[in-house]
Amino acid sequence: MSDDNVSVEDDRLMRWNGWGDPAKAKDLPLAVRTLLPLLLGRIRKPEPAAALDEVRVLPSRATADDLAAFAAAVGEENVLIDAEARIRHAGGRSTPDLLRRRAVEQATPDAVLRPATHDEVRACLDVAMERGLAVIPFGGGTSVVGALDPEPGGRHAVVSLDLQRLTGLLRLDEFSGEAVLAAGTTGPDAESLLGARGFELGHYPQSFRYATIGGFAAARSSGQNSAGNGRFDTMVTGLRVATPTGDLELGRSPGSAAGPDLVRVFLGSEGIFGVITEVRVRVHPVPRARLFESWTFPDFRSGADGMRRVAQSAGGPTVIRLSDESETAVSLAQVGRIGKALAKGASVITVYEGDDIAERRSRTSALLSAAGGVSAGEGAAEDWLEGRFDGPYLRDALLDAGVFCETLETATTWSQLAALKAAVEEALKSGFADAGAKSYVMCHVSHVYPTGASLYFTVLAGIRSEPLPVWETVKARVNDAILASGGTISHHHAVGRDHAPWLAQEIGDTGVRILAAIKRELDPRGIMNPGAVISVERTR
Amino acid sequence: MSDDNVSVEDDRLMRWNGWGDPAKAKDLPLAVRTLLPLLLGRIRKPEPAAALDEVRVLPSRATADDLAAFAAAVGEENVLIDAEARIRHAGGRSTPDLLRRRAVEQATPDAVLRPATHDEVRACLDVAMERGLAVIPFGGGTSVVGALDPEPGGRHAVVSLDLQRLTGLLRLDEFSGEAVLAAGTTGPDAESLLGARGFELGHYPQSFRYATIGGFAAARSSGQNSAGNGRFDTMVTGLRVATPTGDLELGRSPGSAAGPDLVRVFLGSEGIFGVITEVRVRVHPVPRARLFESWTFPDFRSGADGMRRVAQSAGGPTVIRLSDESETAVSLAQVGRIGKALAKGASVITVYEGDDIAERRSRTSALLSAAGGVSAGEGAAEDWLEGRFDGPYLRDALLDAGVFCETLETATTWSQLAALKAAVEEALKSGFADAGAKSYVMCHVSHVYPTGASLYFTVLAGIRSEPLPVWETVKARVNDAILASGGTISHHHAVGRDHAPWLAQEIGDTGVRILAAIKRELDPRGIMNPGAVISVERTR
């Protein structure tokens, strides 16, 4: 079996130890290879990564009786215990995940289950409850926060519950603009099914090509079109959920005062309370037209002020993104053009889709001009659209070249944005410097609200020792800086296991008690995704 | 003390046994008096209501030690046990509440507390926890769902925690468009404080003049400007909460994926988990301009289709309301004009505030015309704005005349809207008919979303026996019909005690278990608003 093989049985599987379609993997462009030593000094070439058939996994701890019970629930062919299936479900796609995938010894789940219906999910949970196995719900496998680590949480074994067969457009109410999608449906499949009926969901996070509708809901995703279509939270009108102790059908109307909105208990729950099996979402007719415009600002601060003016007015763009000076300089926003020209200032990309796009562009242009922006034509924005899902391929090439590359994100109010950005940059730069590593930090704003915005950082570093321990130290320092500066521990990547200690700081002890109480009620044996969002200890 | 006296010490106090400012109370207009017998047959004049000084309340069950402990928390002058204070906190402003206020014997809380700060609220809860008294948080006293009933829930006494002194604009971040308001601040006070700085919250439910910011949050309110400004849920960016076992500061950024949104656990919690003491909200500059336009449609169905087209497009009106044929016929939308002309068809009112109002009106007009609407000029919409908070005064006059009058509301998707409306109307009409009462049912749509809308019903009935038992039977039939037809048990009135049994049907047993688990964790002695939202039995 080749290193980069993709199972022919399932074309959704991405490269097992990297991102996406192996056929799209690329070497670093010459311009980047020229630029890197200037930014990061001499780079140490890493040890070669282990090939898939070199990886050693421990024997499955699931007993024969466990496996037989699961086989009764989903069919024998949907209970996988082979090494490849287990390795492919061993984690997500954070940089630490990918670094761990390079090793010969890897921790994996003990089995992979593939239920095809809500009732089969229900049956899997019943077996797991009765027999006491931990369950890690698995959608597209694109978590970058450790939400898929095979943590048994004190149980004798852990199974990955892969929703890849739980797919499809279950209902479409064209009149109301509402669709019900099975949770395992991927972004492209959802858009294809809806598009055939003239509708669009319009949710395009960078993980779009692989991530699933259920994952978008469970992780509170936000997509590149959030300025126009809202974050995924706001698209969801209902959920069907299987928990270890009962099912839920939530969301009866677009607005309600029928007690606290329980849909919101499961948005962001990351599988710790149960498994989202169906998602009801707002959809809209496929946009008939699209306009692009890119802008150049003197600096990040003026660009951010332009973004704020747009976000605080109605009828703006569908996509709006601001790259800071560092990101603009290497044109990271347009993966295909990286390093082609060292641009100055801070660039903004706008895309308009749907109705009244000329009016909306005109209104937005006036606001951006007033903030000091100068129109730079359509080209850069079109290039961005072309390459917008390709960033992770670049990371793979960088990691292969020995360059550490990771992203992280947060959000805050407009008035705290510059200070939060400076604090995160300082934590990153000083953290790497203390480890003797040169680093290059870039930032963009890609999700805006009337009251504030997100900050998305990409960091490159030339780490001369083992990168994982260095990154753990630096990331902890960044998380501390985020909380100290009023930011949220995550704007759209979620909590997983990586952010759990900082979530406890963000929501406080009483907040953790609320989550733990819900979990104890729905999942009294603590089988669901142990250690994600809140620590295992808090849920006992 | 006169029947209609209002304490000069507190001009927020409304008529103790009716709505609003006693000076604004009116007799029924002649046109209405003429119309009523035609609609409802001969009306039985009710027994005269008891005057305030005729009402008998039971001796306070709070012990001297209880009262001393509360006095230590908030000052002796803010622990009230006189009959008037207790009667004024005996309930909300539903029609059953007002009918109960007419009686000589009334159930009331045993004391009224008036904390002025978060820390005083905290201290009150500490005393109540230690001594085991039930606590009913009290804002403007405008609940119409029994959220303020003095239910002790098995405790020896019950106190009303009135937030009338917990007021003010605590912070305003003009750059981010975000304000922090103390929970007891009324709608008019909030707008006045913000308006002095050039900002508006823009939340105008019918209870606006008396209801409080904390009440809007606790009950998931929606205001008349919801088409433009969103329901209150969507305005809230953060909360400060005191619970019996700990405090929370929730909401760090306008968007987050830091676990489930715990703000949403408290929006709609109606005081069962704790007391909201501060609310962080999105605000916007005071609109510089306003446009009105009213429309006439052939019927409700075509009008609703026009509303749908508008709601599914961006850049529409700030206010949009559709009255059905029955409501249009008596011009109930314009209280001052009721009965002046028996109009035909279904009328729509639109109001545009903010930027680009001419463009927005033009876009909306095209959509409404395409659905069969004909513009009817500005007058009716302006009249509506003038009288928009006055509906409850009319109800008082009707009740005094012996006409039963109550409102109720729900919401669903656009495709289910007509069927839900018909089901509720049938339940109301047949319910009253079975009790030998003629009724007149009117409906409007006043909150729209891309995927659906609310339905707001006003019913008049000529009940010849005791009205309360009749209404309880009819309302139960309506609630059953709402759930059977896919509606929510409340779009913006909330749950209180009146809707609690139906909420359990709406969210299911697992949903109730989630709420009960949160309550047990935060309020282990069950002191907070016992019986509201979920039954007392479920929280033990």
Side-chain angles (χ1 to χ4, degrees), chain A residues 118-142:
Chain A
H118 174 91
D119 290 344
E120 288 188 3
V121 171
R122 167 83 271 136
C124 288
L125 297 189
D126 290 345
V127 172
M129 266 293 273
E130 192 188 321
R131 308 190 64 81
L133 287 89
V135 176
I136 318 284
F138 193 100
T142 60

PDB file of all heavy atoms in Angstrom, chain A residues 118-142:
ATOM      1  N   HIS A 118     -30.070   7.302  11.715  1.00  0.00           N
ATOM      2  CA  HIS A 118     -30.219   7.734  13.107  1.00  0.00           C
ATOM      3  C   HIS A 118     -30.402   6.518  14.013  1.00  0.00           C
ATOM      4  O   HIS A 118     -29.785   6.445  15.091  1.00  0.00           O
ATOM      5  CB  HIS A 118     -31.426   8.673  13.232  1.00  0.00           C
ATOM      6  CG  HIS A 118     -31.747   9.044  14.652  1.00  0.00           C
ATOM      7  ND1 HIS A 118     -31.215  10.153  15.278  1.00  0.00           N
ATOM      8  CD2 HIS A 118     -32.534   8.426  15.580  1.00  0.00           C
ATOM      9  CE1 HIS A 118     -31.654  10.205  16.525  1.00  0.00           C
ATOM     10  NE2 HIS A 118     -32.463   9.174  16.731  1.00  0.00           N
ATOM     11  N   ASP A 119     -31.213   5.581  13.584  1.00  0.00           N
ATOM     12  CA  ASP A 119     -31.475   4.418  14.435  1.00  0.00           C
ATOM     13  C   ASP A 119     -30.219   3.575  14.650  1.00  0.00           C
ATOM     14  O   ASP A 119     -30.038   2.989  15.725  1.00  0.00           O
ATOM     15  CB  ASP A 119     -32.606   3.567  13.838  1.00  0.00           C
ATOM     16  CG  ASP A 119     -33.952   4.279  13.938  1.00  0.00           C
ATOM     17  OD1 ASP A 119     -34.063   5.252  14.716  1.00  0.00           O
ATOM     18  OD2 ASP A 119     -34.887   3.880  13.215  1.00  0.00           O
ATOM     19  N   GLU A 120     -29.374   3.517  13.634  1.00  0.00           N
ATOM     20  CA  GLU A 120     -28.112   2.782  13.824  1.00  0.00           C
ATOM     21  C   GLU A 120     -27.167   3.531  14.769  1.00  0.00           C
ATOM     22  O   GLU A 120     -26.439   2.902  15.545  1.00  0.00           O
ATOM     23  CB  GLU A 120     -27.432   2.516  12.475  1.00  0.00           C
ATOM     24  CG  GLU A 120     -28.175   1.449  11.656  1.00  0.00           C
ATOM     25  CD  GLU A 120     -27.422   1.021  10.396  1.00  0.00           C
ATOM     26  OE1 GLU A 120     -26.300   1.497  10.158  1.00  0.00           O
ATOM     27  OE2 GLU A 120     -27.988   0.194   9.647  1.00  0.00           O
ATOM     28  N   VAL A 121     -27.182   4.859  14.703  1.00  0.00           N
ATOM     29  CA  VAL A 121     -26.406   5.632  15.686  1.00  0.00           C
ATOM     30  C   VAL A 121     -26.934   5.330  17.092  1.00  0.00           C
ATOM     31  O   VAL A 121     -26.181   5.054  18.026  1.00  0.00           O
ATOM     32  CB  VAL A 121     -26.489   7.142  15.397  1.00  0.00           C
ATOM     33  CG1 VAL A 121     -25.878   7.951  16.537  1.00  0.00           C
ATOM     34  CG2 VAL A 121     -25.802   7.481  14.080  1.00  0.00           C
ATOM     35  N   ARG A 122     -28.252   5.387  17.212  1.00  0.00           N
ATOM     36  CA  ARG A 122     -28.930   5.080  18.476  1.00  0.00           C
ATOM     37  C   ARG A 122     -28.491   3.701  18.997  1.00  0.00           C
ATOM     38  O   ARG A 122     -28.137   3.537  20.162  1.00  0.00           O
ATOM     39  CB  ARG A 122     -30.448   5.141  18.194  1.00  0.00           C
ATOM     40  CG  ARG A 122     -31.449   4.614  19.147  1.00  0.00           C
ATOM     41  CD  ARG A 122     -31.776   5.622  20.245  1.00  0.00           C
ATOM     42  NE  ARG A 122     -30.841   5.394  21.305  1.00  0.00           N
ATOM     43  CZ  ARG A 122     -30.195   6.349  21.961  1.00  0.00           C
ATOM     44  NH1 ARG A 122     -30.414   7.614  21.709  1.00  0.00           N
ATOM     45  NH2 ARG A 122     -29.342   6.062  22.888  1.00  0.00           N
ATOM     46  N   ALA A 123     -28.485   2.729  18.087  1.00  0.00           N
ATOM     47  CA  ALA A 123     -28.107   1.367  18.481  1.00  0.00           C
ATOM     48  C   ALA A 123     -26.643   1.301  18.913  1.00  0.00           C
ATOM     49  O   ALA A 123     -26.303   0.611  19.882  1.00  0.00           O
ATOM     50  CB  ALA A 123     -28.379   0.400  17.324  1.00  0.00           C
ATOM     51  N   CYS A 124     -25.775   2.030  18.213  1.00  0.00           N
ATOM     52  CA  CYS A 124     -24.348   2.060  18.604  1.00  0.00           C
ATOM     53  C   CYS A 124     -24.190   2.642  20.002  1.00  0.00           C
ATOM     54  O   CYS A 124     -23.406   2.124  20.812  1.00  0.00           O
ATOM     55  CB  CYS A 124     -23.545   2.908  17.618  1.00  0.00           C
ATOM     56  SG  CYS A 124     -23.303   2.138  16.008  1.00  0.00           S
ATOM     57  N   LEU A 125     -24.916   3.721  20.275  1.00  0.00           N
ATOM     58  CA  LEU A 125     -24.802   4.329  21.602  1.00  0.00           C
ATOM     59  C   LEU A 125     -25.340   3.389  22.675  1.00  0.00           C
ATOM     60  O   LEU A 125     -24.797   3.315  23.784  1.00  0.00           O
ATOM     61  CB  LEU A 125     -25.529   5.678  21.659  1.00  0.00           C
ATOM     62  CG  LEU A 125     -24.987   6.792  20.747  1.00  0.00           C
ATOM     63  CD1 LEU A 125     -25.664   8.123  21.082  1.00  0.00           C
ATOM     64  CD2 LEU A 125     -23.470   6.924  20.859  1.00  0.00           C
ATOM     65  N   ASP A 126     -26.399   2.678  22.359  1.00  0.00           N
ATOM     66  CA  ASP A 126     -26.947   1.727  23.327  1.00  0.00           C
ATOM     67  C   ASP A 126     -25.913   0.654  23.670  1.00  0.00           C
ATOM     68  O   ASP A 126     -25.722   0.307  24.842  1.00  0.00           O
ATOM     69  CB  ASP A 126     -28.223   1.075  22.771  1.00  0.00           C
ATOM     70  CG  ASP A 126     -29.398   2.050  22.692  1.00  0.00           C
ATOM     71  OD1 ASP A 126     -29.314   3.131  23.326  1.00  0.00           O
ATOM     72  OD2 ASP A 126     -30.383   1.746  21.991  1.00  0.00           O
ATOM     73  N   VAL A 127     -25.242   0.152  22.639  1.00  0.00           N
ATOM     74  CA  VAL A 127     -24.201  -0.857  22.885  1.00  0.00           C
ATOM     75  C   VAL A 127     -23.065  -0.258  23.707  1.00  0.00           C
ATOM     76  O   VAL A 127     -22.608  -0.854  24.696  1.00  0.00           O
ATOM     77  CB  VAL A 127     -23.651  -1.412  21.545  1.00  0.00           C
ATOM     78  CG1 VAL A 127     -22.436  -2.305  21.795  1.00  0.00           C
ATOM     79  CG2 VAL A 127     -24.746  -2.171  20.785  1.00  0.00           C
ATOM     80  N   ALA A 128     -22.637   0.944  23.312  1.00  0.00           N
ATOM     81  CA  ALA A 128     -21.514   1.582  24.021  1.00  0.00           C
ATOM     82  C   ALA A 128     -21.878   1.853  25.478  1.00  0.00           C
ATOM     83  O   ALA A 128     -21.043   1.680  26.377  1.00  0.00           O
ATOM     84  CB  ALA A 128     -21.117   2.869  23.311  1.00  0.00           C
ATOM     85  N   MET A 129     -23.124   2.265  25.721  1.00  0.00           N
ATOM     86  CA  MET A 129     -23.586   2.503  27.095  1.00  0.00           C
ATOM     87  C   MET A 129     -23.560   1.210  27.891  1.00  0.00           C
ATOM     88  O   MET A 129     -23.052   1.148  29.006  1.00  0.00           O
ATOM     89  CB  MET A 129     -25.028   3.024  27.082  1.00  0.00           C
ATOM     90  CG  MET A 129     -25.172   4.506  27.096  1.00  0.00           C
ATOM     91  SD  MET A 129     -24.622   5.266  28.648  1.00  0.00           S
ATOM     92  CE  MET A 129     -26.157   5.140  29.593  1.00  0.00           C
ATOM     93  N   GLU A 130     -24.140   0.180  27.288  1.00  0.00           N
ATOM     94  CA  GLU A 130     -24.268  -1.077  28.009  1.00  0.00           C
ATOM     95  C   GLU A 130     -22.904  -1.691  28.303  1.00  0.00           C
ATOM     96  O   GLU A 130     -22.662  -2.215  29.396  1.00  0.00           O
ATOM     97  CB  GLU A 130     -25.104  -2.038  27.156  1.00  0.00           C
ATOM     98  CG  GLU A 130     -25.564  -3.271  27.895  1.00  0.00           C
ATOM     99  CD  GLU A 130     -26.227  -4.264  26.941  1.00  0.00           C
ATOM    100  OE1 GLU A 130     -26.951  -3.814  26.033  1.00  0.00           O
ATOM    101  OE2 GLU A 130     -25.978  -5.478  27.111  1.00  0.00           O
ATOM    102  N   ARG A 131     -22.002  -1.593  27.332  1.00  0.00           N
ATOM    103  CA  ARG A 131     -20.718  -2.272  27.471  1.00  0.00           C
ATOM    104  C   ARG A 131     -19.610  -1.342  27.965  1.00  0.00           C
ATOM    105  O   ARG A 131     -18.493  -1.781  28.221  1.00  0.00           O
ATOM    106  CB  ARG A 131     -20.325  -2.908  26.138  1.00  0.00           C
ATOM    107  CG  ARG A 131     -21.440  -3.795  25.555  1.00  0.00           C
ATOM    108  CD  ARG A 131     -20.972  -4.604  24.376  1.00  0.00           C
ATOM    109  NE  ARG A 131     -19.931  -5.540  24.797  1.00  0.00           N
ATOM    110  CZ  ARG A 131     -20.161  -6.702  25.393  1.00  0.00           C
ATOM    111  NH1 ARG A 131     -21.397  -7.093  25.623  1.00  0.00           N
ATOM    112  NH2 ARG A 131     -19.158  -7.467  25.750  1.00  0.00           N
ATOM    113  N   GLY A 132     -19.922  -0.038  28.037  1.00  0.00           N
ATOM    114  CA  GLY A 132     -18.962   0.892  28.619  1.00  0.00           C
ATOM    115  C   GLY A 132     -17.772   1.235  27.744  1.00  0.00           C
ATOM    116  O   GLY A 132     -16.640   1.286  28.217  1.00  0.00           O
ATOM    117  N   LEU A 133     -18.019   1.480  26.455  1.00  0.00           N
ATOM    118  CA  LEU A 133     -16.941   1.920  25.567  1.00  0.00           C
ATOM    119  C   LEU A 133     -17.078   3.415  25.284  1.00  0.00           C
ATOM    120  O   LEU A 133     -18.196   3.920  25.132  1.00  0.00           O
ATOM    121  CB  LEU A 133     -16.984   1.181  24.219  1.00  0.00           C
ATOM    122  CG  LEU A 133     -16.537  -0.277  24.224  1.00  0.00           C
ATOM    123  CD1 LEU A 133     -17.721  -1.180  24.529  1.00  0.00           C
ATOM    124  CD2 LEU A 133     -15.888  -0.644  22.896  1.00  0.00           C
ATOM    125  N   ALA A 134     -15.938   4.085  25.190  1.00  0.00           N
ATOM    126  CA  ALA A 134     -15.957   5.499  24.808  1.00  0.00           C
ATOM    127  C   ALA A 134     -16.249   5.623  23.311  1.00  0.00           C
ATOM    128  O   ALA A 134     -15.884   4.748  22.524  1.00  0.00           O
ATOM    129  CB  ALA A 134     -14.625   6.153  25.129  1.00  0.00           C
ATOM    130  N   VAL A 135     -16.942   6.718  22.943  1.00  0.00           N
ATOM    131  CA  VAL A 135     -17.372   6.944  21.554  1.00  0.00           C
ATOM    132  C   VAL A 135     -16.883   8.319  21.106  1.00  0.00           C
ATOM    133  O   VAL A 135     -17.187   9.322  21.752  1.00  0.00           O
ATOM    134  CB  VAL A 135     -18.911   6.898  21.451  1.00  0.00           C
ATOM    135  CG1 VAL A 135     -19.369   7.220  20.030  1.00  0.00           C
ATOM    136  CG2 VAL A 135     -19.456   5.546  21.904  1.00  0.00           C
ATOM    137  N   ILE A 136     -16.140   8.340  19.993  1.00  0.00           N
ATOM    138  CA  ILE A 136     -15.690   9.615  19.437  1.00  0.00           C
ATOM    139  C   ILE A 136     -16.430   9.838  18.116  1.00  0.00           C
ATOM    140  O   ILE A 136     -16.102   9.201  17.110  1.00  0.00           O
ATOM    141  CB  ILE A 136     -14.164   9.610  19.139  1.00  0.00           C
ATOM    142  CG1 ILE A 136     -13.361   8.943  20.251  1.00  0.00           C
ATOM    143  CG2 ILE A 136     -13.674  11.015  18.803  1.00  0.00           C
ATOM    144  CD1 ILE A 136     -13.176   9.751  21.482  1.00  0.00           C
ATOM    145  N   PRO A 137     -17.428  10.741  18.069  1.00  0.00           N
ATOM    146  CA  PRO A 137     -18.094  11.006  16.794  1.00  0.00           C
ATOM    147  C   PRO A 137     -17.091  11.576  15.785  1.00  0.00           C
ATOM    148  O   PRO A 137     -16.265  12.409  16.140  1.00  0.00           O
ATOM    149  CB  PRO A 137     -19.169  12.036  17.167  1.00  0.00           C
ATOM    150  CG  PRO A 137     -19.377  11.870  18.646  1.00  0.00           C
ATOM    151  CD  PRO A 137     -18.028  11.492  19.183  1.00  0.00           C
ATOM    152  N   PHE A 138     -17.187  11.121  14.551  1.00  0.00           N
ATOM    153  CA  PHE A 138     -16.207  11.467  13.520  1.00  0.00           C
ATOM    154  C   PHE A 138     -16.946  11.859  12.248  1.00  0.00           C
ATOM    155  O   PHE A 138     -17.714  11.082  11.701  1.00  0.00           O
ATOM    156  CB  PHE A 138     -15.316  10.235  13.270  1.00  0.00           C
ATOM    157  CG  PHE A 138     -14.064  10.492  12.454  1.00  0.00           C
ATOM    158  CD1 PHE A 138     -12.833  10.645  13.079  1.00  0.00           C
ATOM    159  CD2 PHE A 138     -14.118  10.573  11.065  1.00  0.00           C
ATOM    160  CE1 PHE A 138     -11.671  10.858  12.333  1.00  0.00           C
ATOM    161  CE2 PHE A 138     -12.954  10.795  10.322  1.00  0.00           C
ATOM    162  CZ  PHE A 138     -11.729  10.936  10.950  1.00  0.00           C
ATOM    163  N   GLY A 139     -16.759  13.106  11.809  1.00  0.00           N
ATOM    164  CA  GLY A 139     -17.390  13.564  10.574  1.00  0.00           C
ATOM    165  C   GLY A 139     -16.387  13.546   9.445  1.00  0.00           C
ATOM    166  O   GLY A 139     -16.053  12.494   8.923  1.00  0.00           O
ATOM    167  N   GLY A 140     -15.858  14.706   9.100  1.00  0.00           N
ATOM    168  CA  GLY A 140     -14.867  14.769   8.036  1.00  0.00           C
ATOM    169  C   GLY A 140     -13.451  14.570   8.532  1.00  0.00           C
ATOM    170  O   GLY A 140     -12.512  14.499   7.738  1.00  0.00           O
ATOM    171  N   GLY A 141     -13.274  14.513   9.841  1.00  0.00           N
ATOM    172  CA  GLY A 141     -11.931  14.328  10.391  1.00  0.00           C
ATOM    173  C   GLY A 141     -11.063  15.568  10.300  1.00  0.00           C
ATOM    174  O   GLY A 141      -9.839  15.481  10.316  1.00  0.00           O
ATOM    175  N   THR A 142     -11.691  16.757  10.213  1.00  0.00           N
ATOM    176  CA  THR A 142     -10.917  17.977   9.981  1.00  0.00           C
ATOM    177  C   THR A 142     -10.697  18.815  11.232  1.00  0.00           C
ATOM    178  O   THR A 142     -10.232  19.951  11.136  1.00  0.00           O
ATOM    179  CB  THR A 142     -11.602  18.852   8.908  1.00  0.00           C
ATOM    180  OG1 THR A 142     -12.908  19.203   9.382  1.00  0.00           O
ATOM    181  CG2 THR A 142     -11.723  18.116   7.591  1.00  0.00           C
TER     182      THR A 142
END
